[in-house]
Amino acid sequence: MLSFYIIKIIQSSCEKDFDIFKAKPVKEIKAMKKLEHKHIIKYITCWLELENYCKSQKEDKKDSDSNLEEVQKPEVKSEFPIYFFIQTEFHSFISLKYYLKNRTNELSKAVIFCIFRQIFKAVHYIHSQGLTHRHLKPKNILINEKFRVKICNFGINHSSEEEKMLEKSLYLPNEINEENYFYESTSDIYSLGVTLYDTCFYFENEEERIRALKNIQDEKYELPKNDQFSEWILELCKKMTRKERKNRIKIDETISEFIDIFASIK
């Protein structure tokens, strides 16, 4: 039977005597190997290739736990490019970012509930495994035509520099700029709160939307539509995006309040 997969290629670089296994993409690989959840893209295997060097896979691709460790570091004399190939399950999903960009009005309450119920479950699972996603944002949340959700791209931003800076300013909390900052689950909650706000509230133009998302870092919130549901969602977003991370709501509390909001809708 013919099988299809997705191969993601991540370019990095190494200098002489650099330990390949400390390269940034390895963080994503290690996280993905540990996770198995219906709302998270399933990791299959990985390999790497270097300039003038290629490691062929001799083991069965089903052996997803050993391939990374089997890659041997070649002798090199100077800085060289390194390419990580990550194989994951095939999907025909689009990013939530693309979906939101192309909408012409606000999403229905049923669609919002369907999408975020799955996202919250996935994030709860990630945190229960002692891990964090590190880049929760619409671009890394995939949906299909039935609004089934898959989360992808753990801990790595593959965008252009310009897009990377914009997304960093919109979806990541201020504490990432602190010296000796350690990423923890509360930072994921912040990113998730901005994503929830971005999804629930519709702005007529991109300039208004970006301004509103940037203002969240200063705990300033715009309410495009003044109704009971919007006020409840905004209050939840506020709890998720508080400046002091110790004061942010936890993921289990987030799920409980989210369900209560939709249970209260008449």
Side-chain angles (χ1 to χ4, degrees), residues 96 100 116 120 136-138 141 166-173 187-201 203 209-210 212-217 221 236-242 248:
L96 180 59
L100 295 178
F116 277 88
F120 289 151
L136 282 168
K137 55 186 176 182
I141 298 169
L166 176 60
E167 292 186 340
K168 182 177 180 179
S169 67
L170 295 180
Y171 297 101
L172 293 180
S187 301
D188 271 354
I189 296 299
Y190 180 94
S191 300
L192 200 51
V194 179
T195 300
L196 178 63
Y197 180 93
D198 195 12
T199 304
C200 291
F201 299 119
F203 292 88
R209 172 185 159 271
I210 291 176
L213 296 184
K214 283 184 176 180
N215 284 339
I216 291 176
Q217 287 193 335
Y221 304 88
L236 178 56
C237 291
K238 288 179 179 180
K239 293 178 182 179
M240 298 172 72
T241 57
R242 287 169 177 155
R248 289 175 200 150

Side-chain angles (χ1 to χ4, degrees), residues 8-240:
K8 180 169 67 174
I9 304 174
I10 305 174
Q11 181 177 355
S12 187
S13 62
C14 293
E15 297 179 354
K16 183 179 178 180
D17 299 325
F18 180 80
D19 186 350
I20 287 174
F21 301 107
K22 292 182 180 180
K24 191 174 181 180
V26 175
K27 294 180 181 179
E28 176 179 4
I29 295 167
K30 288 182 176 179
M32 292 183 70
K33 285 175 62 177
K34 188 176 179 180
L35 301 174
E36 188 168 349
H37 191 276
K38 64 181 179 179
H39 299 311
I40 298 174
I41 287 293
K42 184 178 180 180
Y43 167 89
I44 306 297
T45 189
C46 73
W47 65 95
L48 60 83
E49 295 183 8
L50 313 178
E51 186 177 37
N52 301 320
Y53 173 82
C54 177
K55 174 72 177 180
S56 61
Q57 289 180 287
K58 297 181 181 180
E59 300 294 330
D60 191 315
K61 289 192 175 182
K62 292 182 180 179
D63 185 8
S64 61
D65 290 329
S66 61
N67 287 325
L68 179 62
E69 287 77 8
E70 290 175 358
V71 176
Q72 300 297 315
K73 185 173 69 172
E75 291 186 16
V76 291
K77 296 182 178 180
S78 59
E79 184 174 325
F80 60 95
I82 177 172
Y83 300 90
F84 287 85
F85 292 75
I86 303 177
Q87 180 181 347
T88 63
E89 64 175 310
F90 178 81
H91 64 79
S92 56
F93 291 33
I94 63 170
S95 71
L96 180 59
K97 176 182 177 180
Y98 178 86
Y99 183 78
L100 295 178
K101 186 176 181 180
N102 289 277
R103 64 176 169 173
T104 55
N105 50 41
E106 63 184 24
L107 302 185
S108 71
K109 297 178 180 65
V111 168
I112 292 171
F113 180 77
C114 180
I115 291 175
F116 277 88
R117 179 176 58 86
Q118 298 173 77
I119 295 173
F120 289 151
K121 283 183 177 180
V123 174
H124 185 276
Y125 170 74
I126 293 168
H127 290 178
S128 74
Q129 299 301 304
L131 298 171
T132 53
H133 184 280
R134 305 173 72 88
H135 269 107
L136 282 168
K137 55 186 176 182
K139 184 176 181 179
N140 291 335
I141 298 169
L142 308 176
I143 59 173
N144 66 6
E145 70 280 359
K146 295 182 179 179
F147 298 107
R148 186 184 175 198
V149 167
K150 294 276 190 180
I151 291 179
C152 64
N153 291 346
F154 284 72
I156 299 177
N157 193 322
H158 310 290
S159 310
S160 65
E161 287 302 317
E162 182 178 355
E163 183 180 8
K164 187 185 298 183
M165 291 304 296
L166 176 60
E167 292 186 340
K168 182 177 180 179
S169 67
L170 295 180
Y171 297 101
L172 293 180
N174 282 323
E175 66 253 21
I176 64 169
N177 298 315
E178 296 174 1
E179 189 175 356
N180 300 321
Y181 167 69
F182 179 76
Y183 202 101
E184 56 185 35
S185 60
T186 53
S187 301
D188 271 354
I189 296 299
Y190 180 94
S191 300
L192 200 51
V194 179
T195 300
L196 178 63
Y197 180 93
D198 195 12
T199 304
C200 291
F201 299 119
Y202 176 72
F203 292 88
E204 290 296 333
N205 60 68
E206 187 70 1
E207 184 178 339
E208 291 181 0
R209 172 185 159 271
I210 291 176
R211 184 193 64 238
L213 296 184
K214 283 184 176 180
N215 284 339
I216 291 176
Q217 287 193 335
D218 296 320
E219 294 186 306
K220 298 176 182 178
Y221 304 88
E222 296 183 28
L223 190 61
K225 186 176 181 181
N226 191 12
D227 58 37
Q228 186 71 72
F229 172 75
S230 297
E231 291 176 2
W232 286 337
I233 288 292
L234 183 61
E235 285 305 309
L236 178 56
C237 291
K238 288 179 179 180
K239 293 178 182 179
M240 298 172 72

